[in-house]
Amino acid sequence: MDPTTLERISPYEWRIPQTGDMRVPAEIIADEDLIRGMDEKVRQQITNVACLPGIVRAAYAMPDAHWGYGFPIGGVAAFDPDQGGVISAGGVGFDISCGVRMLATDLTAAQIRSKQQDFAHEMSRSIPAGVGSQGHIHLDDAGMSAMLSGGARWAVAEGYGTVEDLARIEEQGQMAGATPDMVSARAKRRQRDEMGTLGSGNHYLEVQEVTDIFDEAAALAYGLSPGQAVVTIHCGSRGLGHQIGTEYLREMALAAPGYGIALPDRELACAPIDSELGQRYLGVMRAGINCALANRQILTHLARDVLERFFPGCKAPLLYDVSHNTCKEELHEIDGEERRLFVHRKGATRSFGPGMGDLPPPLSKVGQPVLIGGSMGTESWVLAGDDRSETVALSSACHGAGRAMSRHQAARTWTGSGIRKDLAARGIIVTSPSRRGIAEEAPGAYKDVTRVVESAERAGLARRVARLAPLVCVKG
Amino acid sequence: MADDAGSPGWSHFPHQGDVGVRGIGRSMAEAFENAARALTEVVAPLASIRSEQSVTVSCRATDPSILLLDWLNEVTYAMATRSMLFGEFHVRISGDVLKGEMRGEPVDRARHEPSVEPKGATLTELCVKQQPDGLWLAQCVVDV
């Protein structure tokens, strides 16, 4: 994208002025080089989002934005139900509540390195990952409904993890307002064998070393220190979320004209929040959020089991769990007035600044942890929500490095064996059932994550707290 | 075999985060069959899949592009819930009804090395049309 075609607000904020059918402007938060690297489709998609009914303030693209479907990945948009605002299945995505959680262990990276090969092997054996893998938990109808209502709270009650974990999860581990009875039988069937599975693609479990601290106070509050080992889990709502997305994308695309919604592109399929369809999607999408929270909670339990076997007595408390693909009802101040909005974050993280939201005391003082995944060969980051993020982008931040190259091109450029060998030479062990899967996820296929987080920090979305380097990566 | 310059077959087209699947055929039905082959190739090489079991599906939509969406989502659903891969597809379209048969085998992780699971077909770049050369094109972006 050519930055000269945008209106420069600051070195890290760029505006597409409101023209034509746009109801608000669109804003892209990134430095000039990241903008240059963005696909022209990001402009088209974020401009289209700005045309949707009831949108408030602006349609935002985060520094890691790339071409998605409907909304760009890295897209944020809030809608007011009192102004005819809409909810969009494409604005949430198929992988509802895909997200990241981090366990801040009391182990050092040196301890992991001392058993790295065996530990990586055992972790990959214990975490069901990749196409065709099945979980160890198979829920009956009543169990499925309880899980879809209870989220991580259900998982803890079933013995996966601890009550202390719940305070460290958005919504305290349980999304209110879920309607499991409205979730289709097909969505439930698709989930039957997938509880406690990682998935494939860009999903991973990674053991990382804290290499640098940038904000001592926040690091102390988060329980992070140099040389420490952490475990990061990236996955979502699995087959259930995928099937909900499939069903509602179709239904909303066909129903939109009946609601008098003129879509700039059919891929923006949506329905008024207050409509029967909008409310029905909201309820099942919230069940999907609970499914993702339960899934990450089970995987946490499995990871802790492996840690215990290798390092008896070690602790791995949950630092935080963030969701990326959601639509949440939140209060935001718009032009001096507090308004109830439905905020879509697709490939974007909530980023509450100090004192905001429902964060437990140690986190509330410094802001919400924002967990940024890099690629399996590059650094990841822990950021803290900045109090300016509310003004800049409705308390939102980036979610990862963002792809710079398609899977297709990556698989033609690299081989899985080559990538695995190169990373092993750098002390990083990658396990995966698929060599092509590794090639498609090659570090070179992603943007420079450091540049992404620097843009997020300088724009006021989130402050850098700690940099992490990968030691072990279990890929799907 | 992947299509080249408009001959019947399948191909992938680039999308930054996900994958575009495209089928070209002498009929709409053949284009749909080839789009399903492209979908399978996102996961594993077609040549590695044996035709051991058959699954039949049907879908209905008046809009041909929605019919393609439904067909690819039926293939995705069968892959996910049966833990199978399919390499052979037969489609019949009559009016707004599609009847499809897919043949394949259970996923063998060692032999297939499946790389990524499709989540669902999207409305992005969704298109079903007869081209000026008379061949049919059926395509969309699939979330992976």
Side-chain angles (χ1 to χ4, degrees), chain A residues 23-43:
Chain A
R23 295 167 192 260
V24 292
E27 292 186 7
I28 302 174
I29 296 157
D31 69 22
E32 206 166 326
D33 280 349
L34 285 171
I35 299 257
R36 277 200 194 88
M38 281 182 192
D39 196 298
E40 204 43 49
K41 294 277 187 183
V42 173
R43 180 209 303 270

Side-chain angles (χ1 to χ4, degrees), chain A residues 147-204:
Chain A
M147 181 275 289
L148 295 176
S149 292
R153 201 166 281 275
W154 165 86
V156 168
E158 293 289 314
Y160 305 105
T162 68
V163 173
E164 289 73 32
D165 293 336
L166 298 174
R168 300 300 186 108
I169 304 172
E170 288 181 6
E171 322 300 335
Q172 285 75 51
Q174 180 181 25
M175 186 74 219
T179 54
D181 292 351
M182 302 302 286
V183 175
S184 72
R186 279 165 76 93
K188 289 172 180 170
R189 170 65 189 88
R190 203 161 158 182
Q191 187 60 24
R192 201 173 68 188
D193 302 323
E194 295 194 355
M195 284 311 297
T197 61
L198 194 62
S200 61
N202 62 1
H203 293 165
Y204 61 81

Side-chain angles (χ1 to χ4, degrees), chain A residues 2-17 26-28 30-32 35:
Chain A
D2 179 358
T4 63
T5 61
L6 305 171
E7 194 179 296
R8 184 176 182 271
I9 305 169
S10 77
Y12 301 96
E13 292 170 273
W14 306 75
R15 182 180 290 132
I16 301 169
E27 292 186 7
I28 302 174
D31 69 22
E32 206 166 326
I35 299 257

